[in-house]
Every structure is written in structure tokens, then in C-alpha cells.
Amino acid sequence: MESWSVEQVCSWLRQRNLGELVPKFREEEVSGAALLALNDRMVQQLVKKIGHQAVLMDLIKKYQQQKNRLASLTCCCETASPKCPEVVSGKNLKSFFARYKMSQWTSSYALPDFPYDVKCTLAEKKCPDHSMRIRIIEFLQADMTKYLEGSLYPNSQQYNVVVNALLQAYPFLDEDGNGFLLWKRALKDRFKYVRRPIEDDEQVLRNKCKFGHRRGQTRKSSSAENKPDDIQMQVEEESVHLEGSATDVHIKWLQQEYMKTQRSWKEVENRMNVTIEIRRKMISDKAPLKDILRLFPFLRCPYQLFREFQLLTHMDIYKKTVEILEIYSENILSLYVVRNNPINIMLQENLKRHTEEDILKYMKMTAACLLLPVVFGDDSSLFAAVNEEVKVATPVLEVKNPFNMNSCEFALYIEREEVAQLDDCTMALAALVASFHVFDIPCPKRIHRTLSFLESLVFEVRRPASLPAQVHR
């Protein structure tokens, strides 16, 4: 932080919801070194609102404490004192340095210096075309790899930091409010594309063996069911009324595009818009879900599922779900009814192992999401299967290792088949609620109160939604 420029300090302020302070910090030319040298009196002169003063001083204090802890541990490591062998050679030091490195990465990230043609396009403040999007994504991927010291496996938090930095610097890239999901998915796809042909990197091989191989087999079997020849036969047999029509052409293009690694997302959206009528008719006529997903495979992509929901309801369900969990998570976890629940016990055990605010917040939101049915006295098995097999046909979440930042997995299941893999609890909860509406699936009675509560918040019902009064006792 000491070497930060004024612009890097301003970017850091925006990331922490202190954007109002940016003009004043620019005017006073507050660099990273100056920021760390601020005392109480200087902060009072710079910042007018008491709340902002408190937040800023707290952030500076935490950074200084973290820096001092690192210095003390480094000193122990260099002297190699026999009195503290567990500090020098144990796992505690390794995990601390990993966490410290992560916090430094996320707090100091700055966008790369884009090539001249990319700068010209961004300066025009116009949405870039497909080829220019690819150029931007390639540069971001290369820059992230540099920050990660060659690693090709960023975590979800790092993806969020980079995409947030991009959209804050160039707000016009946030198209229709869905830009965050689109750019994040494109960046993740780029990393997958780069990792795929690599066969001699130890980390890639280890992760392929641990995660990718199994998932790859699943995708392979899924794609085997949807070979181009089979697709053509299925479209001709099951959608005879579309034969020779423009809609048939769009459906075939969507199926073929879904098989590609590099996809034209803008064209996907256009063709999904064109085919929405036939898609809604199939759903209202209760066509088998497998047939719907076979003809329109992009409904398996979370962002496209959210977009379909937005076309039907004019509501951004992902944004609403983020707000719901941020507002209600602390209240849910403080209720008596969840105190002895296994999910809450698991949460409390994992909270002791971490100190980072972002990780703690993520864990609490995940627990609050999974505990919602318990709060309303509903059947949790109809909401999420945590570390167990999915056994119900209605939309349900499959959750594995919910509090392990390195191996947690979220997936949406419908009719006991995996429909989509999801990044985190927020995306999972949004996908679950959206699936009932998009696929017109009746809500089971044993989960009705939970979903009604969520829908009342998503659709901004005038009667304010609240947690059940009896659970506060």
C-alpha cells in the first residue's frame, strides 16, 4: 500500500463503498504512503461524515496490524528460534502467509495497461464488439496470471475483484445490469480454455485429477447425448411444426454454439429473445424438461436463467438475492431455532479458523441461505442437499463442503438431474427461485413458506416481509 499512487488509493476507496471520498482525496493528492500516515485530525479534515471517518480509520488500523503481524512472523522465521518450532515449520505460518497474500492481492489490484486499440474503444464509451471483448478478456486473464505468479486457478473472490475493477473503471460495460455475470463467466471460460491443453503443469494436473476429470466426464457424457446429428434428428422429430422455419435455424445455432468454448454471448441473447415464444409455449404445454434443455441448452447457464427470469418479471433476481442475504443473514443466525442446527454448528467451527472479513461474511451468508427452511419450519430436503445425494424431483440445490473455500460446490438439480453449476450461495439461491418461475414448476407445500418469503422480497411486495415472530423466542 505504501507504493500506491493517488489513483490506486481512489480505486481502493471505491471497492470499499467510500467513493464519495474520491474527489477530496484527489484534490489533496493522498497517495498510499500519505494514507497510512493520516492521523485522527487529518481524517476529520478530509472526511466530513463521522461514519466514513470511522470506516476509514478502521481500515487503516487493520492494515497496520496485519503488517505488524507479518513482520513479527517474518522475524521469527529468519531467526529460526528453537523456542517456537511450530511457528517456523508448522502449517500456521504457511496458512497465514497465504491469507496475507490473498488480502494484499485483493486490496492492491489495479487494471492492466490495455493496448492502444482497446484504449481507443473504451475511450469511446461504447459497448465493444465480440472480437474486442475477447481482447479485453485475454489481457485480464494474462494480468491475473501475473498477479497469481503463474497460477491458472483464481478463486471466486479474485474473479469478483477483477470484474468489479473493470466495471468501476468503465461503467458502460455493465449492460442491462447483467454485465458483472457476463464478464465474470467470460473470464472463467478463458482460464478454462488456457488450462485445457496444458499437460505438463503440476498444479493443472493435480486440479484436473481432483476436480476437472470428473466434471469433464460429466460434460462429455452430456455432450455425447447432444451430438449435432442427434440434435438435428431430435429437432425434426419433436418439433415438426418448426421444420424449415427461421425458429428452427435459431434453435440449431444455439445448440451448436453451446458446444463451443468461445461463445458469441451477444448473439446468444439475440437468438434467445427471438425464440422466447416457442420456448414459453413448450413450457406452458408441460413439455419434458430434458427436451426443453436439449433445444435451449443455454438455460443451463446461470446468467441466462436469470435473464429469462428478468424477461418474464422485469426483476434482476441476482441483485435482489444479494440484498436479501446481506440484510437478513445476521438476523437468521441469531435466531434461537437455528442455534443447535448442524449447519450452524458447522459454521461456528469454521468461523474460528478464519479472520478475514470477506470470508467470514461469505460463510455467514452461506449458512443463512441453507438455514432459511429451518426458520420457516419447512422441509430442508426440498431446499438443499448438503453433502448428500439429491433425492427429490423438484428444483433443489446440491451443496458440497459449504464452508471450505477451496472445495465448496453448488449445483441446481431438477428432476434429479444436474442443470447448472453455480459459483456461490447467492447465485445458488437466485437460481433456485428463478427455476420455479422459468420452468413453471409448482412449489411444493413443504417449502412454500420459505419461497413465498423470498419471492415477496424479490418482487418488492408492498407488505413488508419479515421472519416468523415465533422463532425469536
Side-chain angles (χ1 to χ4, degrees):
M1 184 179 284
E2 291 89 343
S3 61
W4 283 3
S5 65
V6 175
E7 286 304 316
Q8 285 176 312
V9 171
C10 293
S11 176
W12 177 79
L13 290 171
R14 292 192 197 97
Q15 291 175 10
R16 279 146 184 80
N17 297 323
L18 296 173
E20 296 179 21
L21 310 182
V22 168
K24 188 66 175 177
F25 272 63
R26 276 207 187 103
E27 180 185 343
E28 299 294 338
E29 298 183 356
V30 179
S31 63
L35 178 67
L36 295 177
L38 292 176
N39 56 33
D40 293 348
R41 186 175 179 180
M42 294 177 184
V43 171
Q44 290 173 4
Q45 292 177 345
L46 273 173
V47 184
K48 299 303 179 185
K49 294 182 179 179
I50 295 178
H52 287 170
Q53 292 177 10
V55 172
L56 183 62
M57 289 302 297
D58 184 59
L59 290 172
I60 295 174
K61 180 180 178 182
K62 286 180 179 177
Y63 176 83
Q64 295 283 17
Q65 290 174 347
Q66 195 174 45
K67 182 180 176 182
N68 292 337
R69 285 199 301 267
L70 179 65
S72 62
L73 280 175
T74 305
C75 179
C76 288
C77 186
E78 290 175 350
T79 56
S81 172
K83 296 181 180 180
C84 53
E86 70 280 0
V87 174
V88 176
S89 59
K91 295 182 179 179
N92 293 334
L93 182 61
K94 183 178 179 181
S95 63
F96 175 82
F97 275 109
R99 293 197 304 272
Y100 179 80
K101 187 176 180 181
M102 172 64 66
S103 65
Q104 289 295 94
W105 196 95
T106 56
S107 63
S108 64
Y109 180 78
L111 288 174
D113 188 17
F114 289 115
Y116 179 75
D117 58 333
V118 176
K119 286 182 179 179
C120 291
T121 302
L122 295 174
E124 294 175 359
K125 295 186 178 181
K126 295 180 180 179
C127 293
D129 58 17
H130 180 62
S131 61
M132 188 56 64
R133 282 173 173 270
I134 292 176
R135 290 268 288 155
I136 294 173
I137 288 297
E138 288 176 347
F139 244 77
L140 289 177
Q141 180 267 317
D143 191 60
M144 288 181 70
T145 304
K146 178 191 72 175
Y147 266 83
L148 294 168
E149 298 180 353
S151 172
L152 295 174
Y153 287 91
N155 60 29
S156 183
Q157 183 185 5
Q158 290 167 337
Y159 281 120
N160 292 343
V161 168
V162 173
V163 176
N164 277 328
L166 179 68
L167 296 185
Q168 287 173 2
Y170 308 103
F172 58 89
L173 297 178
D174 189 7
E175 304 172 23
D176 302 325
N178 294 322
F180 180 85
L181 292 175
L182 292 174
W183 286 99
K184 183 177 179 181
R185 172 52 58 189
L187 192 55
K188 294 181 75 173
D189 287 344
R190 177 63 189 173
F191 269 97
K192 290 180 183 178
Y193 177 77
V194 172
R195 290 194 301 260
R196 184 166 296 173
I198 296 177
E199 298 180 354
D200 56 352
D201 185 272
E202 183 180 349
Q203 185 187 20
V204 173
L205 290 175
R206 185 170 61 251
N207 281 276
K208 278 184 176 181
C209 182
K210 186 177 181 180
F211 299 109
H213 182 65
R214 179 175 60 81
R215 291 179 182 175
Q217 287 180 331
T218 303
R219 285 197 297 267
K220 184 176 180 180
S221 62
S222 175
S223 61
E225 295 176 359
N226 295 325
K227 292 179 181 177
D229 294 339
D230 295 339
I231 290 170
Q232 186 173 358
M233 293 175 62
Q234 290 156 358
V235 170
E236 291 176 354
E237 292 173 0
E238 298 173 7
S239 306
V240 178
H241 60 286
L242 296 175
E243 194 169 326
S245 67
T247 309
D248 188 24
V249 174
H250 292 310
I251 291 176
K252 290 180 181 178
W253 185 91
L254 288 168
Q255 293 168 329
Q256 293 169 2
E257 189 72 4
Y258 186 73
M259 303 296 180
K260 298 180 181 178
T261 304
Q262 299 292 333
R263 297 161 178 167
S264 177
W265 294 109
K266 193 67 178 178
E267 187 63 17
V268 168
E269 293 177 6
N270 293 336
R271 293 182 186 253
M272 289 292 284
N273 287 343
V274 172
T275 57
I276 189 170
E277 290 185 9
I278 184 63
R279 186 162 62 253
R280 299 318 305 170
K281 187 177 187 303
M282 289 180 65
I283 292 173
S284 64
D285 291 343
K286 303 302 179 184
L289 180 65
K290 288 184 178 180
D291 295 345
I292 296 169
L293 293 177
R294 184 168 58 246
L295 296 178
F296 303 99
F298 280 96
L299 288 177
R300 293 179 177 273
C301 300
Y303 80 89
Q304 191 60 50
L305 184 67
F306 299 159
R307 191 171 181 275
E308 187 88 346
F309 182 91
Q310 192 167 14
L311 290 174
L312 296 174
T313 64
H314 305 289
M315 288 290 178
D316 185 345
I317 190 168
Y318 183 80
K319 181 179 177 182
K320 290 291 182 184
T321 305
V322 172
E323 295 173 357
I324 292 169
L325 288 180
E326 287 183 346
I327 292 173
Y328 285 91
S329 59
E330 292 290 347
N331 291 339
I332 290 172
L333 296 176
S334 66
L335 298 176
Y336 179 82
V337 72
V338 305
R339 180 176 299 176
N340 296 320
N341 187 277
I343 296 293
N344 193 31
I345 295 173
M346 194 187 313
L347 168 68
Q348 300 305 323
E349 292 175 353
N350 282 273
L351 288 178
K352 299 174 184 177
R353 303 172 187 172
H354 299 276
T355 57
E356 299 84 351
E357 290 183 2
D358 291 342
I359 294 179
L360 298 178
K361 180 180 178 182
Y362 173 84
M363 287 184 175
K364 289 179 180 179
M365 290 174 66
T366 301
C369 171
L370 299 177
L371 289 169
L372 269 172
V374 179
V375 172
F376 289 90
D378 284 339
D379 188 349
S380 297
S381 65
L382 298 177
F383 187 86
V386 182
N387 293 332
E388 60 184 24
E389 184 181 355
V390 171
K391 299 178 182 178
V392 298
T394 53
V396 67
L397 300 176
E398 183 195 55
V399 184
K400 295 182 179 179
N401 308 318
F403 304 113
N404 189 322
M405 302 300 293
N406 297 320
S407 62
C408 59
E409 295 180 17
F410 297 85
L412 174 67
Y413 274 68
I414 305 178
E415 296 180 358
R416 299 184 183 89
E417 295 290 332
E418 182 178 307
V419 173
Q421 291 186 0
L422 310 157
D423 291 343
D424 50 38
C425 66
T426 306
M427 185 179 287
L429 185 58
L432 179 66
V433 176
S435 63
F436 281 95
H437 288 266
V438 170
F439 298 111
D440 196 17
I441 299 173
C443 173
K445 290 184 178 180
R446 289 182 294 162
I447 201 68
H448 175 73
R449 283 174 291 191
T450 302
L451 293 180
S452 295
F453 170 77
L454 293 170
E455 289 174 356
S456 68
L457 296 173
V458 170
F459 294 113
E460 299 178 341
V461 176
R462 290 186 180 276
R463 178 176 58 82
S466 60
L467 298 173
Q470 63 270 21
V471 299
H472 289 280
R473 293 201 297 267

